[in-house]
């Protein structure tokens, strides 16, 4: 059975692709993007990868 680890990261709207590309190179898969805290123009990304992959 696969077990997962998760990460939550802020996304700067002007640099989203570069941020996600870097995390993807490290084995992370994007699960969801949601708006950041109220009053923020940033987004929050939720990512996952199988445990033990680094």
């Amino acid at each position: 059975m696969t077990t997962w680890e998760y990460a939550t990261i802020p996304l700067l709207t002007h640099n989203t692709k570069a941020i996600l590309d870097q995390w993807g190179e490290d084995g992370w898969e994007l699960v969801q993007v949601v708006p950041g805290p109220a009053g923020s123009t940033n987004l929050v990304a939720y990512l996952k990868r199988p445990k033990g992959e680094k």
Side-chain angles (χ1 to χ4, degrees):
M1 179 170 97
T2 303
T3 57
W4 301 92
E5 62 180 325
Y6 298 90
T8 305
I9 61 166
L11 290 177
L12 305 175
T13 54
H14 67 278
N15 203 19
T16 302
K17 182 181 180 329
I19 294 168
L20 292 175
D21 282 349
Q22 182 60 52
W23 282 82
E25 287 179 19
D26 292 337
W28 292 94
E29 178 182 353
L30 180 64
V31 175
Q32 182 176 11
V33 175
V34 297
S40 170
T41 59
N42 293 336
L43 302 169
V44 177
Y46 290 85
L47 302 108
K48 70 176 185 176
R49 71 176 174 188
K51 280 190 176 183
E53 289 189 15
K54 292 185 183 180

